[in-house]
Amino acid sequence: DDIAGMPYWEEPKKSNESQTMLKVYNSLTRSKVTFVPKGDNVLWYICGPTVYDQSHMGHARTYLHFDILRRIMTDYFNYDVILVSPHSTFRP
């Protein structure tokens, strides 16, 4: 199914069906798909919040949200996650 004006995207092949699968939202297809990393390594780049006014606690949500997801991917799914942001590179 091609969404008008959107590029085609095909879900990668799964390497191990017995492993618990992580689902992520694909904004291109507007659907949840199985996350399929290349091996056990996950290279993840995130942008910081776009701030136009005074700083507030809501700006921390970006970093908190991605840190929680990184911990789930590392601790529960056993991926080796390298999280890169414009401010730092984090590898536990």
Side-chain angles (χ1 to χ4, degrees), residues 17-36:
E17 291 294 332
S18 64
Q19 181 182 6
T20 302
M21 292 290 145
L22 174 63
K23 297 281 188 173
V24 293
Y25 182 75
N26 182 330
S27 59
L28 182 63
T29 61
R30 298 181 183 147
S31 63
K32 288 182 184 178
V33 296
T34 302
F35 176 74
V36 182

Side-chain angles (χ1 to χ4, degrees), residues 4-63:
M6 301 299 284
Y8 176 74
W9 182 83
E10 183 176 327
E11 186 173 350
K13 304 282 187 265
K14 298 168 186 67
S15 61
N16 185 356
E17 291 294 332
S18 64
Q19 181 182 6
T20 302
M21 292 290 145
L22 174 63
K23 297 281 188 173
V24 293
Y25 182 75
N26 182 330
S27 59
L28 182 63
T29 61
R30 298 181 183 147
S31 63
K32 288 182 184 178
V33 296
T34 302
F35 176 74
V36 182
K38 294 180 180 177
D40 291 332
N41 298 321
V42 176
L43 300 176
W44 193 356
Y45 178 82
I46 62 167
C47 296
T50 303
V51 179
Y52 294 107
D53 206 342
Q54 293 180 350
S55 187
H56 57 81
M57 288 302 293
H59 295 140
R61 181 193 176 278
T62 299
Y63 302 103

Side-chain angles (χ1 to χ4, degrees), residues 75-86:
D75 298 340
Y76 183 74
F77 291 99
N78 297 315
Y79 293 128
D80 181 19
V81 178
I82 301 172
L83 183 63
V84 179
S85 76

